[in-house]
Coordinates of all heavy atoms in Angstrom, one line a residue:
G952 N -28.6 49.4 21.4 CA -29.4 49.4 22.6 C -28.9 48.3 23.6 O -29.3 48.3 24.8
A953 N -27.9 47.5 23.2 CA -27.3 46.5 24.1 C -26.0 47.0 24.6 O -25.1 47.5 23.9 CB -27.2 45.2 23.3
S954 N -25.7 46.8 25.9 CA -24.4 47.2 26.5 C -23.5 46.0 26.4 O -23.9 44.8 26.7 CB -24.7 47.6 28.0 OG -25.5 48.7 28.0
T955 N -22.2 46.3 26.2 CA -21.2 45.3 26.1 C -19.8 46.0 26.4 O -19.8 47.2 26.4 CB -21.1 44.6 24.7 OG1 -20.1 43.6 24.8 CG2 -20.7 45.6 23.6
T956 N -18.8 45.2 26.7 CA -17.5 45.8 27.0 C -16.8 46.1 25.7 O -17.0 45.4 24.7 CB -16.6 44.9 27.8 OG1 -16.5 43.6 27.2 CG2 -17.2 44.7 29.3
L957 N -15.8 47.0 25.7 CA -15.1 47.3 24.5 C -14.3 46.2 23.9 O -14.0 46.1 22.7 CB -14.2 48.5 24.8 CG -13.6 49.3 23.5 CD1 -14.7 49.8 22.7 CD2 -12.7 50.4 24.0
V958 N -13.9 45.2 24.8 CA -13.2 44.1 24.3 C -13.9 43.3 23.3 O -13.3 42.6 22.4 CB -12.8 43.2 25.5 CG1 -14.0 42.5 26.1 CG2 -11.8 42.1 25.1
T959 N -15.2 43.4 23.3 CA -16.1 42.6 22.3 C -15.9 43.2 20.9 O -16.0 42.5 19.9 CB -17.6 42.7 22.8 OG1 -17.7 42.1 24.0 CG2 -18.4 42.0 21.8
V960 N -15.7 44.5 20.8 CA -15.7 45.2 19.5 C -14.3 45.1 18.8 O -14.1 45.2 17.6 CB -16.1 46.6 19.7 CG1 -16.4 47.3 18.3 CG2 -17.5 46.7 20.4
V961 N -13.7 44.9 19.9 CA -12.3 45.0 19.3 C -12.0 43.7 18.4 O -11.9 42.6 18.9 CB -11.3 45.0 20.5 CG1 -9.9 44.8 20.1 CG2 -11.5 46.3 21.2
N962 N 0.2 39.2 3.1 CA 0.4 37.8 2.7 C 1.3 37.8 1.5 O 1.6 36.7 1.0 CB -1.1 37.3 2.6 CG -1.6 36.5 1.6 OD1 -0.9 35.6 1.2 ND2 -2.9 36.7 1.3
H963 N 1.7 39.2 1.4 CA 2.6 39.2 0.3 C 4.1 39.5 0.7 O 4.9 39.9 -0.2 CB 2.2 40.2 -0.7 CG 0.9 39.8 -1.3 ND1 0.8 38.8 -2.3 CD2 -0.4 40.2 -1.1 CE1 -0.5 38.7 -2.7 NE2 -1.2 39.6 -1.9
T964 N 4.5 39.3 1.9 CA 5.9 39.5 2.3 C 6.7 38.4 2.0 O 6.3 37.3 1.7 CB 5.9 39.7 3.9 OG1 5.5 38.5 4.5 CG2 5.0 40.9 4.3
K965 N 8.0 38.6 2.1 CA 9.0 37.5 1.7 C 8.8 36.3 2.6 O 8.7 35.2 2.1 CB 10.4 38.0 1.8 CG 11.5 37.0 1.4 CD 12.9 37.7 1.4 CE 13.9 36.6 0.9 NZ 15.3 37.2 1.0
I966 N 8.7 36.5 3.9 CA 8.5 35.4 4.9 C 7.2 34.7 4.7 O 7.0 33.5 4.8 CB 8.7 35.9 6.4 CG1 8.7 34.7 7.3 CG2 7.6 36.9 6.8 CD1 9.9 33.8 7.1
G967 N 6.2 35.5 4.3 CA 4.8 35.0 4.1 C 4.9 34.0 2.9 O 4.3 32.9 2.9
M968 N 5.5 34.4 1.8 CA 5.6 33.5 0.6 C 6.4 32.3 1.0 O 6.1 31.2 0.5 CB 6.3 34.3 -0.5 CG 5.4 35.4 -1.1 SD 6.1 36.2 -2.6 CE 7.4 37.1 -1.9
A969 N 7.5 32.4 1.8 CA 8.3 31.3 2.2 C 7.4 30.3 3.0 O 7.5 29.1 2.8 CB 9.5 31.8 3.0
M970 N 6.6 30.9 3.9 CA 5.7 30.0 4.7 C 4.8 29.2 3.8 O 4.5 28.1 4.1 CB 5.0 30.9 5.8 CG 5.9 31.4 6.9 SD 5.1 32.6 7.9 CE 3.9 31.7 8.8
R971 N 4.2 29.9 2.8 CA 3.3 29.2 2.0 C 4.0 28.1 1.2 O 3.4 27.1 0.9 CB 2.5 30.2 1.0 CG 1.6 31.1 1.7 CD 0.6 31.8 0.8 NE 1.3 32.6 -0.2 CZ 1.6 33.9 -0.1 NH1 1.4 34.5 1.1 NH2 2.2 34.5 -1.0
A972 N 5.2 28.4 0.8 CA 6.0 27.5 0.0 C 6.3 26.2 0.8 O 6.1 25.1 0.4 CB 7.3 28.1 -0.5
V973 N 6.7 26.4 2.1 CA 7.1 25.3 3.0 C 5.8 24.5 3.3 O 5.8 23.3 3.3 CB 7.7 25.8 4.3 CG1 7.9 24.7 5.3 CG2 9.0 26.5 4.0
A974 N 4.7 25.2 3.4 CA 3.4 24.5 3.7 C 3.0 23.6 2.5 O 2.4 22.5 2.7 CB 2.3 25.5 4.1
K975 N 3.3 24.0 1.4 CA 2.9 23.3 0.1 C 3.8 22.1 -0.1 O 3.4 21.0 -0.4 CB 3.0 24.2 -1.1 CG 2.2 23.8 -2.3 CD 0.7 23.8 -2.0 CE -0.1 23.4 -3.3 NZ -1.5 23.4 -3.0
D976 N 5.2 22.4 0.0 CA 6.1 21.2 -0.3 C 7.4 21.5 0.6 O 8.2 22.3 0.2 CB 6.4 21.1 -1.7 CG 7.1 19.8 -2.1 OD1 8.0 19.4 -1.4 OD2 6.7 19.3 -3.1
F977 N 7.5 20.7 1.7 CA 8.6 20.9 2.6 C 9.9 20.7 1.9 O 10.9 21.5 2.0 CB 8.4 20.0 3.8 CG 9.2 20.3 5.0 CD1 8.6 21.1 6.0 CD2 10.5 19.9 5.2 CE1 9.3 21.4 7.2 CE2 11.2 20.2 6.3 CZ 10.7 21.0 7.3
E978 N 10.1 19.5 1.3 CA 11.3 19.1 0.7 C 11.8 20.0 -0.5 O 12.9 20.4 -0.5 CB 11.3 17.6 0.2 CG 11.2 16.6 1.3 CD 9.8 16.5 1.9 OE1 8.9 17.1 1.3 OE2 9.6 15.9 2.9
T979 N 10.8 20.3 -1.4 CA 11.2 21.2 -2.5 C 11.6 22.5 -2.0 O 12.5 23.2 -2.6 CB 10.0 21.3 -3.4 OG1 9.6 20.0 -3.9 CG2 10.3 22.1 -4.7
S980 N 11.0 23.1 -1.0 CA 11.3 24.4 -0.4 C 12.8 24.4 0.0 O 13.5 25.4 -0.2 CB 10.4 24.7 0.7 OG 9.1 24.8 0.3
Q981 N 13.2 23.3 0.7 CA 14.6 23.2 1.1 C 15.5 23.2 -0.1 O 16.6 23.9 -0.1 CB 14.8 21.9 1.9 CG 14.3 21.9 3.3 CD 14.6 20.6 4.0 OE1 14.3 19.6 3.6 NE2 15.3 20.7 5.2
L982 N 15.2 22.5 -1.2 CA 16.0 22.5 -2.4 C 16.1 23.8 -3.0 O 17.1 24.1 -3.7 CB 15.5 21.4 -3.3 CG 15.5 20.0 -2.9 CD1 14.8 19.1 -3.9 CD2 17.0 19.5 -2.7
M983 N 15.1 24.7 -2.9 CA 15.1 26.0 -3.5 C 15.8 27.0 -2.6 O 15.8 28.2 -3.0 CB 13.7 26.4 -3.7 CG 12.9 25.6 -4.8 SD 11.2 26.0 -5.0 CE 11.4 27.7 -5.8
G984 N 16.4 26.6 -1.5 CA 17.1 27.5 -0.7 C 16.4 28.2 0.4 O 17.0 29.1 1.1
I985 N 15.2 27.9 0.6 CA 14.4 28.5 1.7 C 14.9 27.9 3.1 O 15.1 26.7 3.2 CB 12.9 28.2 1.6 CG1 12.3 28.9 0.4 CG2 12.1 28.6 2.8 CD1 10.9 28.6 0.1
K986 N 15.2 28.8 4.0 CA 15.7 28.4 5.3 C 14.6 27.9 6.2 O 13.9 28.7 6.8 CB 16.5 29.6 5.9 CG 17.7 30.0 5.1 CD 18.4 31.2 5.8 CE 19.6 31.6 5.0 NZ 20.3 32.8 5.6
I987 N 14.4 26.6 6.2 CA 13.3 26.0 6.8 C 13.2 26.4 8.3 O 12.1 26.7 8.8 CB 13.3 24.5 6.7 CG1 13.3 24.1 5.2 CG2 12.2 23.8 7.4 CD1 12.1 24.4 4.4
N988 N 14.3 26.3 9.0 CA 14.3 26.5 10.5 C 13.8 27.9 10.8 O 13.1 28.2 11.7 CB 15.7 26.3 11.1 CG 16.0 24.8 11.1 OD1 15.2 23.9 11.2 ND2 17.3 24.5 11.0
R989 N 14.3 28.9 9.9 CA 13.8 30.3 10.2 C 12.3 30.4 9.9 O 11.7 31.1 10.7 CB 14.6 31.2 9.2 CG 14.2 32.7 9.4 CD 15.0 33.5 8.4 NE 16.4 33.5 8.7 CZ 17.3 34.1 7.9 NH1 16.9 34.9 6.9 NH2 18.6 34.1 8.2
V990 N 11.8 29.8 8.9 CA 10.4 29.8 8.6 C 9.6 29.2 9.7 O 8.6 29.8 10.2 CB 10.0 29.1 7.3 CG1 8.6 29.0 7.1 CG2 10.7 29.8 6.1
I991 N 10.0 28.1 10.3 CA 9.3 27.4 11.3 C 9.3 28.2 12.6 O 8.3 28.4 13.3 CB 9.9 26.0 11.6 CG1 9.6 25.1 10.4 CG2 9.3 25.4 12.8 CD1 10.3 23.8 10.4
S992 N 10.5 28.8 12.9 CA 10.6 29.6 14.1 C 9.7 30.9 14.0 O 9.0 31.2 15.0 CB 12.1 30.1 14.3 OG 12.9 29.0 14.6
T993 N 9.6 31.5 12.8 CA 8.8 32.6 12.6 C 7.3 32.2 12.8 O 6.6 33.0 13.4 CB 9.0 33.2 11.2 OG1 10.4 33.6 11.0 CG2 8.1 34.4 11.0
T994 N 7.0 31.0 12.4 CA 5.6 30.6 12.5 C 5.2 30.5 14.0 O 4.2 30.9 14.4 CB 5.4 29.2 11.8 OG1 5.8 29.3 10.5 CG2 4.0 28.7 12.0
F995 N 6.1 29.9 14.8 CA 5.9 29.8 16.2 C 5.9 31.1 16.9 O 5.0 31.4 17.8 CB 7.0 28.9 16.9 CG 6.6 27.4 16.9 CD1 7.0 26.7 15.7 CD2 6.0 26.8 17.9 CE1 6.6 25.3 15.7 CE2 5.7 25.4 17.9 CZ 6.0 24.7 16.7
I996 N 6.7 32.1 16.4 CA 6.7 33.4 17.0 C 5.4 34.1 16.8 O 4.8 34.7 17.7 CB 7.8 34.2 16.4 CG1 9.2 33.7 17.1 CG2 7.7 35.7 16.7 CD1 10.4 34.3 16.4
I997 N 4.9 34.0 15.6 CA 3.6 34.7 15.2 C 2.5 34.0 16.0 O 1.6 34.7 16.6 CB 3.3 34.6 13.7 CG1 4.4 35.4 12.9 CG2 1.9 35.1 13.4 CD1 4.3 35.3 11.5
G998 N 2.4 32.7 16.0 CA 1.4 32.0 16.8 C 1.4 32.3 18.2 O 0.3 32.5 18.8
S999 N 2.6 32.4 18.8 CA 2.7 32.8 20.2 C 2.2 34.2 20.6 O 1.5 34.5 21.5 CB 4.1 32.6 20.8 OG 4.5 31.2 20.6
A1000 N 2.6 35.1 19.6 CA 2.1 36.5 19.8 C 0.6 36.6 19.7 O 0.0 37.3 20.5 CB 2.8 37.4 18.7
L1001 N 0.0 35.8 18.8 CA -1.5 35.8 18.7 C -2.1 35.2 19.9 O -3.2 35.7 20.4 CB -1.9 35.0 17.4 CG -1.6 35.7 16.1 CD1 -1.9 34.8 14.9 CD2 -2.3 37.1 15.9
A1002 N -1.5 34.2 20.5 CA -2.0 33.6 21.7 C -1.9 34.6 22.9 O -2.8 34.6 23.7 CB -1.2 32.3 22.1
A1003 N -0.8 35.3 22.9 CA -0.7 36.3 24.0 C -1.8 37.4 23.8 O -2.4 37.8 24.8 CB 0.7 37.0 23.9
L1004 N -2.0 37.8 22.6 CA -3.1 38.9 22.4 C -4.5 38.2 22.8 O -5.3 38.9 23.4 CB -3.1 39.3 20.9 CG -1.9 40.1 20.5 CD1 -2.0 40.4 19.0 CD2 -1.8 41.4 21.3
G1005 N -4.7 37.0 22.4 CA -5.9 36.3 22.7 C -6.1 36.2 24.2 O -7.2 36.3 24.8
S1006 N -5.0 36.0 25.0 CA -5.1 35.8 26.4 C -5.5 37.1 27.1 O -6.2 37.2 28.1 CB -3.7 35.3 27.0 OG -2.8 36.4 27.1
I1007 N -5.0 38.3 26.5 CA -5.3 39.6 27.0 C -6.8 39.8 26.9 O -7.5 40.2 27.8 CB -4.6 40.7 26.3 CG1 -3.1 40.6 26.6 CG2 -5.2 42.1 26.7 CD1 -2.3 41.6 25.7
L1008 N -7.4 39.4 25.7 CA -8.9 39.7 25.5 C -9.7 38.7 26.4 O -10.7 39.0 27.0 CB -9.2 39.5 24.0 CG -8.5 40.5 23.1 CD1 -8.8 40.1 21.6 CD2 -8.9 41.9 23.4
Y1009 N -9.2 37.4 26.3 CA -10.0 36.3 27.0 C -10.0 36.5 28.5 O -11.1 36.5 29.2 CB -9.4 35.0 26.7 CG -10.1 33.8 27.2 CD1 -11.2 33.3 26.5 CD2 -9.8 33.2 28.5 CE1 -11.9 32.2 27.0 CE2 -10.6 32.2 29.0 CZ -11.6 31.6 28.2 OH -12.3 30.6 28.8

Side-chain angles (χ1 to χ4, degrees):
S954 295
T955 186
T956 55
L957 193 59
V958 68
T959 300
V960 188
V961 172
N962 142 34
H963 294 284
T964 64
K965 184 176 180 180
I966 188 63
M968 290 188 288
M970 289 169 70
R971 291 199 298 274
V973 173
K975 197 71 176 176
D976 194 316
F977 198 95
E978 289 78 12
T979 303
S980 298
Q981 283 182 306
L982 294 174
M983 294 179 67
I985 293 175
K986 296 180 178 178
I987 300 295
N988 289 330
R989 180 181 297 177
V990 171
I991 293 172
S992 295
T993 301
T994 303
F995 274 84
I996 286 171
I997 295 172
S999 298
L1001 291 173
L1004 294 174
S1006 76
I1007 293 171
L1008 299 176
Y1009 185 87

